[in-house]
Structure formats: structure tokens, C-alpha cells
């Protein structure tokens, strides 16, 4: 997960809970070498679009005189893509969490082991869907990792093959993409290919190719077979 930078908003009414959650985040994110910035929502009577800038929002259902579900509805008005994680001392609000599309529901006091497992899962699956990069040499828009099917080195250029069948030719060597997409869910099955592991459906019966979910076959060389297979099954485990 190296190279990720996330902005986090904590919506907690009790100081003790704020500090505990902050400590859990510090420990997890630092151990995973993830850059981050944590803010607190001090004024719960919010009607602005400030939520646009946050990737991850921790939200207590009970915020003094305010209702966390109502605040979450405001968040969803301005930002459909932010990941919301509900924190609560009560299980009775679990159904409300589904209404505002919360990814997780953590019961307080939050156990560190449970927190780390859930965060690992969120960052490996849901959070990854939001991430990408800007490169004006390739596109005027943000390129999302989830939209990239595979990258191919051909005739001294690298070609990005997107899931929508669009192709973008770049002057970058494959080494550039290997470094850029390290820990972003991509694996190298062959010297001239780098594929998005989420779109690998399996292997050919003779073990010489990988099969993408669109039916394309990409060669799998002996030199890369062991490392690629390990990456594939590790990624599959995170998805499941």
C-alpha cells in the first residue's frame, strides 16, 4: 500500500473516543507506511461541501444533540465516494449504517486487532477503488487503477489497456509502471506485461497463460510464475 495518501475525518463527540481512534489509526497507518492527515469535525451542524476532501470518515451515530445518520446523509449529498465507518457503543444502529452505505460498523470500545483486520480489508478492496493518478502526458483526467486492465510493452512504448477497451500509448518504459503500481494490486506475469490482479479470472490448463475476465490470454513465463501466482492468491484472499 505504499504511496497512498489518505485524508481522514473523525466525527466523535467524546474526547476519550477521539483519542483512542486517533491512536489506532496512527499505529495502523504508520506500520503500513501510509501517509495520512487526520481532522476532527468540531461543528456537527454542517451543511457545506467540506466532506468532498475526505477519503475516509469515522462517524459515531450518537453525537450529543445531533444524529449521526443525518450527518451521514449530508455527507452523501456532497460525496458519494467517501468511505464511512460507523463507530457506536450500541449494535441497535447497525441497520442505519446500511442506509448510509457504511463500509464497516465498529463497536466501542474498539479492539485493536479487530480494527487492524477491518482497516486492512477496507484499504485492500473498497478504498483501492477510489485511487489513481494524474499524468497530463496521458490524460487530462484522473486515471483510476480500477479502470486499468493491463499494461503492455510493445515497440518501445507501453500501452495501457483499459477495461472499457480504450488504449493509451505512452513513452514510459515498463519499469516506470512496475515502480508506480507497486502495491497497487498489479502483478507481472511476463517480461512485457503488467496486469491488474482484480481482473485475472484464472490460469490456462497448461499453466502457460493467465486468463483475464474479458477472455484475453496473457503469457505466464517460468521466471515470473511463482511470484505472480503468490500475488494472485494474496489478492484473491483480500477480495474474499
Amino acid at each position: 500500500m505504499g504511496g497512498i495518501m489518505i485524508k481522514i475525518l473523525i466525527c466523535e463527540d467524546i474526547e476519550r473516543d477521539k483519542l483512542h481512534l486517533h491512536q489506532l489509526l496512527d499505529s495502523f497507518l504508520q506500520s503500513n507506511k501510509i501517509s495520512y492527515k487526520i481532522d476532527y469535525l468540531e461543528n456537527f451542524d454542517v451543511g457545506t461541501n467540506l466532506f468532498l476532501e475526505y477519503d475516509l470518515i469515522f462517524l459515531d451515530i450518537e453525537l450529543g444533540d445531533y444524529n449521526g445518520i443525518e450527518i451521514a446523509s449530508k455527507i452523501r449529498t456532497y460525496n458519494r465516494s467517501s468511505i464511512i465507518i460507523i463507530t457506536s457503543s450500541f449494535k441497535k444502529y447497525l441497520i442505519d449504517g446500511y442506509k448510509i452505505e457504511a463500509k464497516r460498523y465498529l463497536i466501542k470500545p474498539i479492539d485493536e486487532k479487530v480494527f487492524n483486520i477491518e482497516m486492512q480489508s477496507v484499504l485492500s478492496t473498497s478504498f483501492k477503488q477510489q485511487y489513481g493518478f494524474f499524468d497530463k502526458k496521458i490524460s487530462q483526467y484522473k486515471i483510476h487503477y480500477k479502470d486499468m486492465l493491463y499494461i503492455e510493452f510493445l515497440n518501445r512504448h507501453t500501452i495501457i489497456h483499459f477495461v472499457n477497451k480504450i488504449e493509451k500509448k505512452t513513452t514510459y518504459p515498463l519499469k516506470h509502471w512496475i515502480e508506480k503500481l507497486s502495491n497497487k494490486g498489479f502483478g507481472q506475469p511476463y517480461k512485457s506485461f503488467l496486469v491488474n490482479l482484480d481482473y485475472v479470472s484464472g490460469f490456462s490448463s497448461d499453466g502457460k497463460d493467465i486468463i483475464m475476465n474479458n477472455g484475453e490470454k496473457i503469457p505466464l513465463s517460468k521466471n515470473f510464475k511463482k511470484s505472480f501466482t503468490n500475488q494472485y492468491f494474496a489478492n484473491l484472499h483480500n477480495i474474499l
Side-chain angles (χ1 to χ4, degrees), residues 15-16 24 32 37 51-52 63-64 70 72 84-85 91 102 104 115-116 125 144 159 169 177 192 214 218 227:
E15 194 66 28
R16 170 186 75 242
L24 290 174
N32 283 276
K37 181 178 185 297
F51 302 110
L52 280 172
L63 296 168
E70 292 178 0
I84 297 177
I85 295 179
K91 293 182 180 179
R104 293 293 186 275
F115 181 84
N116 290 343
T125 54
H144 292 88
I159 302 169
K169 182 183 288 188
W177 295 112
S192 55
N214 66 351
I218 291 176
S227 61

Side-chain angles (χ1 to χ4, degrees), residues 151 153 158 172-178 188 191-194:
I151 296 171
F153 180 74
T158 47
Y172 297 119
L174 192 64
K175 182 181 178 182
H176 166 84
W177 295 112
I178 292 171
Q188 187 176 14
K191 61 182 180 181
S192 55
F193 285 93
L194 189 66

Side-chain angles (χ1 to χ4, degrees), residues 99-126:
K99 292 178 182 177
I100 48 89
E101 304 172 61
K103 289 295 183 183
R104 293 293 186 275
Y105 191 103
L106 301 177
I107 298 296
K108 296 188 286 187
I110 302 170
D111 178 79
E112 184 174 7
K113 288 184 178 179
V114 172
F115 181 84
N116 290 343
I117 290 171
E118 296 296 346
M119 282 295 293
Q120 189 75 36
S121 178
V122 166
L123 294 186
S124 297
T125 54
S126 302

